[in-house]
Amino acid sequence: MSASESSGSVVRRILLGSQLRRLRESRGITREAAGYSIRASESKISRMELGRVSFKARDVEDLLMLYGVSDAQEREALLSLAREANVAGWWHSYTDVLPSWFQTYVGLEGATSLIRVYEVQFVHGLLQTEAYAQAVVRRGMPDGSPADIERRVALRMERQKLLVAERPAQFHCVLDEAALRRPYGEREVMREQLRHLIEVSERPNVRLQVMPFSLGGHSGEFGAFTMLGFQESGLPDVVFLEQLTSALYLDKPEEVVQYGRVMDRLQEEGPGPSETRDLLRGLLQLM
């Protein structure tokens, strides 16, 4: 199974969950009542509707009956979606070092057609060299075993394959200059990372911009965020906000639009990709 197929299972899970939520709400049925019909809790229904858990065919069948979906073709389409949504992702083998709340993100990231990010603290994971990633992970896991650190880095390197796939995702990244000034690892690690950024920024599917200190304040005042866009019909764009022990996934149109405007302004305010490469070369000479 390809990475895109397993990542697509997350998209299908979210699609199915959102459709079940719309059906429930259109019938005026509470999550509590829906949970009772499948011998589950209200929180289980919530997790299903958010696409955070796998689906049992029997549960989907019972919910469709409760929601009054009697058309055979419509029922089969949703049940087929449930079967496809239960395919395990390639990252399943990394669950020993992958937080449960981040598994959803990895699946979505692998299925997206457009990734737009703003990063402040460090170089974004999809652009990190292996040595730089090791330094970042060691800093973030001070008590982690060498084996766990290597596994986390291997996962990060595996994620990067989506940028060089046969049909690669479009990746637009705005880095604050602070992310490049803050050293992770030895001097040569940072030099290698800067050289890698210059090289990867030449790829046709990558747009890299650096917001220099000289610009002063800018639109990224609220911190780092990631926007994921999908070609799948029915799946809204998602804004991902990572926290210390969990994450927020925003998909309400009014919220996504606001983040989109911020991203647009960041791209307008900052130097273009060519000027950014000049800036990176200048930083490289200083190290």
Side-chain angles (χ1 to χ4, degrees), residues 109 112 114-117 126 162 170-172 226-228:
E109 181 185 71
T112 189
L114 173 62
I115 306 172
R116 305 176 76 193
V117 303
L126 293 181
L162 67 89
Q170 293 293 313
F171 184 64
H172 297 179
T226 299
M227 300 187 68
L228 304 174

Side-chain angles (χ1 to χ4, degrees), residues 122-253:
F122 37 63
V123 172
H124 190 272
L126 293 181
L127 299 178
Q128 293 178 6
T129 64
E130 186 170 354
Y132 182 93
Q134 287 174 341
V136 171
V137 173
R138 279 197 301 269
R139 187 78 58 86
M141 298 175 61
D143 299 322
S145 69
D148 283 350
I149 290 172
E150 287 301 321
R151 296 265 298 152
R152 187 72 68 92
V153 172
L155 169 64
R156 192 162 299 179
M157 297 298 103
E158 187 71 25
R159 285 170 52 205
Q160 294 183 6
K161 291 181 178 179
L162 67 89
L163 296 183
V164 293
E166 184 177 345
R167 294 182 179 177
Q170 293 293 313
F171 184 64
H172 297 179
C173 179
V174 177
L175 291 177
D176 193 281
E177 185 177 343
L180 304 176
R181 294 283 189 174
R182 183 175 293 106
Y184 281 94
E186 301 297 330
R187 176 171 174 269
E188 187 50 41
V189 171
M190 291 300 299
R191 288 180 57 82
E192 180 191 26
Q193 179 62 69
L194 289 171
R195 287 192 292 265
H196 179 67
L197 289 175
I198 294 169
E199 179 183 346
V200 77
S201 71
E202 299 278 6
R203 293 177 185 168
N205 60 311
V206 175
R207 177 184 176 88
L208 176 63
Q209 294 175 259
V210 172
M211 296 294 287
F213 290 150
S214 60
L215 282 182
H218 55 72
S219 299
E221 58 186 347
F222 297 107
F225 63 90
T226 299
M227 300 187 68
L228 304 174
F230 305 90
Q231 292 180 337
E232 298 263 0
S233 61
L235 189 67
D237 289 354
V238 175
V239 174
F240 173 73
L241 302 174
E242 187 172 355
Q243 300 175 333
L244 180 61
T245 58
S246 63
L248 293 177
Y249 294 86
L250 309 179
D251 63 357
K252 292 181 179 179

Side-chain angles (χ1 to χ4, degrees), residues 24 27-36 42 45 49 66-67:
R24 178 182 60 76
R27 302 301 192 277
I29 297 172
T30 65
R31 288 195 182 95
E32 183 180 10
Y36 181 79
E42 178 182 353
I45 294 295
E49 292 181 349
L66 176 67
Y67 300 158

